[in-house]
Amino acid sequence: MKRAKITIIGAGNVGATCAHWAAAKELGDLVLVDIVEGMPQGKALDLYEASPIENFDARITGTNGYEETAGSDVLIITSGIARKPGMSRDELLQTNVKIVAEVTAKAAEHSPDAVLIVVSNPLDAMVHTAWKVSGFPTNRVVGQAGVLDMARYCSFIAAEVGCSVEDVSALLMGGHGDDMVPLPRYTCVGGIPVGQLISAGKLEQIVTRTRNGGAEIVGLLKTGSAYYAPAAATIAMAESIIKDKRRVLPCAAHCDKEYGVGGYFVGVPCILGSNGVEKVIEVELDAKERELFAASVKHVKELCELAGKFLPG
Ligand code: APR
């Protein structure tokens, strides 16, 4: 059987860590692309040299071009810049729209049948940009945000209960941070509703910590943002696609009639399989949850409108 091919664009912290997780899981051959000369080549070679120790078989290529990416099954986009001191949100958006548009156009041209997973921030606007530029059908474009938030939330719950992380299952919707829509009534520990194990007040603290999860890491690292968990979240999505596992994961997926969104990428539970987003699952929301989700969708629309102004051509 032919090995899957995964291209990771942006070989920085998140991109290189994606390669590490993907190689360890033997998901397929990997191509690392970055604008910095020598860096993706060096990281690819270094990772390949680890393969006899960790016993994974994969061709791992580093490049500054796109020819080597041809025929990829999955394209992961992590390229972009982080917000620098004094930089406005709009300036960051403008720069990253240009980067994501440029790399998507090149990558999509060489891998017209791939599923695109977008990781670059601000996520919702970057997924929208990648979708527009690629010309791919909506099911083959998806953004990573919810799996990371869910993982943070589940890890805090497991620590609080004192149980295995394997037994916590949860659902979150909406965007990152303030836009996150926690759904405690869809959270279980070994099948037990979380409310029976953790007080409402403690759960609220966990939700707040999850909302600020990215900032908590930035505050500790000081010179960068999180990458182990974001990369693991991205590779969980890639694995579900490559192996057609059809996992149910919260992703930024295109919703039109779903939840009455009207044609934007927002964080919703999806079935991820070989065609990308196989299905958006519509769960029942109460009034408060609907209100939070509507606020998140409003924010996504505003951001996409702004991103559209910066799109080249
Ligand atoms: N083409 C290819 N690579 C590019 C381009 C480009 N046009 N522009 C920037 N890059 C590369 C940079 O050279 C860098 O190596 O993207 C990489 C980004 O890596 P880091 O700066 O280490 O950032 P990282 O922490 O990996 O985050 C990447 O993921 O989670 C999100 O918010 C995060 O948007 C950010 C992205």
Side-chain angles (χ1 to χ4, degrees):
M1 201 164 59
K2 192 176 142 282
R3 259 193 230 157
K5 181 168 177 179
I6 306 161
T7 285
I8 301 164
I9 302 161
N13 281 339
V14 175
T17 313
C18 280
H20 188 174
W21 291 120
K25 284 173 175 277
E26 233 176 21
L27 287 191
D29 291 333
L30 306 174
V31 183
L32 273 170
V33 183
D34 203 282
I35 201 166
V36 178
E37 277 178 33
M39 186 266 260
Q41 292 86 344
K43 290 191 179 182
L45 180 61
D46 190 14
L47 186 56
Y48 179 65
E49 288 168 358
S51 62
I53 306 168
E54 289 296 317
N55 287 327
F56 59 81
D57 284 303
R59 271 182 290 273
I60 308 175
T61 311
T63 176
N64 304 113
Y66 286 81
E67 252 111 74
E68 294 90 334
T69 70
S72 293
D73 301 291
V74 172
L75 299 168
I76 296 174
I77 299 185
T78 77
S79 53
I81 60 156
R83 192 158 157 181
K84 300 192 175 77
M87 189 183 225
S88 74
R89 197 192 63 155
D90 288 7
E91 283 169 323
L92 173 77
L93 185 66
Q94 184 166 11
T95 305
N96 281 353
V97 163
K98 280 197 187 132
I99 293 174
V100 168
E102 179 208 313
V103 306
T104 302
K106 290 178 183 160
E109 187 195 329
H110 287 85
S111 301
D113 300 320
V115 176
L116 248 170
I117 304 177
V118 182
V119 187
S120 308
N121 275 318
L123 197 264
D124 307 292
M126 294 304 123
V127 191
H128 198 81
T129 300
W131 170 57
K132 287 248 157 166
V133 173
S134 65
F136 283 7
T138 52
N139 61 296
R140 284 203 280 119
V141 182
V142 63
Q144 189 294 115
V147 180
L148 170 61
D149 286 332
M150 189 179 70
R152 285 180 173 149
Y153 180 60
C154 290
S155 64
F156 301 150
I157 288 172
E160 178 62 24
V161 175
C163 70
S164 166
V165 290
E166 278 182 42
D167 295 317
V168 185
S169 79
L171 174 60
L172 296 170
M173 289 177 59
H176 255 328
D178 287 346
D179 281 343
M180 195 182 87
V181 182
L183 300 166
R185 67 201 179 94
Y186 289 110
T187 304
C188 288
V189 178
I192 305 157
V194 73
Q196 293 185 25
L197 299 167
I198 300 181
S199 69
K202 187 69 216 177
L203 200 59
E204 194 48 49
Q205 282 175 19
I206 288 177
V207 166
T208 303
R209 190 174 176 198
T210 306
R211 276 190 205 287
N212 300 327
E216 184 177 0
I217 304 281
V218 170
L220 292 164
L221 295 180
K222 297 190 180 69
T223 55
S225 47
Y227 50 96
Y228 290 116
T234 307
I235 294 306
M237 292 167 66
E239 183 177 24
S240 191
I241 293 164
I242 288 164
K243 297 185 180 168
D244 195 27
K245 282 172 74 101
R246 302 178 71 91
R247 288 196 61 194
V248 178
L249 296 171
C251 306
H254 192 267
C255 295
D256 191 5
K257 291 200 181 62
E258 297 88 350
Y259 296 99
V261 167
Y264 289 87
F265 289 81
V266 288
V268 287
C270 304
I271 295 180
L272 278 191
S274 56
N275 298 305
V277 177
E278 305 281 355
K279 185 180 167 59
V280 168
I281 298 177
E282 290 191 80
V283 295
E284 183 204 299
L285 300 176
D286 65 21
K288 177 73 190 156
E289 291 158 354
R290 270 202 302 275
E291 192 188 308
L292 287 172
F293 186 68
S296 175
V297 173
K298 184 169 171 275
H299 191 194
V300 169
K301 287 181 183 172
E302 287 165 2
L303 212 57
C304 288
E305 221 156 89
L306 195 57
K309 292 194 186 133
F310 300 139
L311 251 185

